[in-house]
Amino acid sequence: MLKVGIPRAFLYYNYYPLWKTFFEELGAKVVVSDPTTKKILDDGVKCCVDDACLPLKLFHGHVINLKDKADVIFVPRLVSVRKKEYICPKFCGLPDMVVNNIKGLPDILDVTVNMRSSPVSLVKAVVETGKYFTGDCRRIYRAFGRAVDEHREFEKRMESGLTPLEAMEGEQNRNFNEKMTIGLIGHPYNIYDSYSSMKLLEKLRARGIKIITQDMISGDIVDNIARNFSKPMFWSFGKKIMASAGYMTENRLVDGIIYLVAFGCGLDALVGDLVERKLRKAGIPFCFLTVDEHTGEAGIDTRIEAFIDMLERRNAV
Ligand code: SF4
């Protein structure tokens, strides 16, 4: 049975159930890289250019982790996943970077998805990917149909208050009895990777804090809010982050918002500033946390403690 490797990085947190179902329906075995460790990060740092962002270095480390475990590694070239929207240019060059930076890789399954002007590109990418496993187009479409159903279920589970990892593991929504609620926003690969986020989400929950992330807010709500932006936001992640922060604020769902960003991310620098201005106007406390491979956990812990103390004092008044 052909083993397909999926790096536990970048859009793993958005699309893993879809990709897994698709490959398994086509008869492949799916292998995921291990959760991030210092070695995975160090391996990624060694083979990547210095000024790459932390998530890009981690992606390289995860591909190295899969090198000897899979017959083929899935590294799609994602240009756009929504009409009239783009994702970061780093995603467009991902397969080229990986192939040129890492020696001794197995096959790389590299297909282009560019839905900026039409969804036809997705159909082509699906067929091209499926043909790696079978020549039967009907089987490919059937597999993709099941994958899309799984993806919708996954999104629904997240909208019920679960993180992507909890939704993947089939956890049920828990009864929260928390003393405060914090909105945690940022790219999914920053906020849900326990190693690079220094267990931020887990630490907040351990303090009895309910967390709402942008992925717990439905896509329809995000689209409705984004329609009222003064200018269209053409970055898919930026749109979701801004609209979610707006929704949490306008509906007073949170006591404060933490925005976790990777050092050197141009998109986050811009979106962070826009979000901060909006929250300042609305009087919602905001904490902008930046991480890179040199960030010390103690510094992050101090910032979190100070932010929570401030929210507690504010709520007590
Ligand atoms: S959006 Fe930012 S963090 Fe994500 S890949 Fe691009 S530069 Fe890196």
Side-chain angles (χ1 to χ4, degrees), residues 10 52-56 87-91 187 189-190 237 261-268:
F10 275 153
C53 61
L54 177 66
L56 184 58
I87 38 184
C88 171
K90 302 246 168 52
F91 287 81
H187 294 273
Y189 40 86
N190 288 331
F237 281 124
V261 303
F263 178 75
C265 175
L267 187 153
D268 277 338

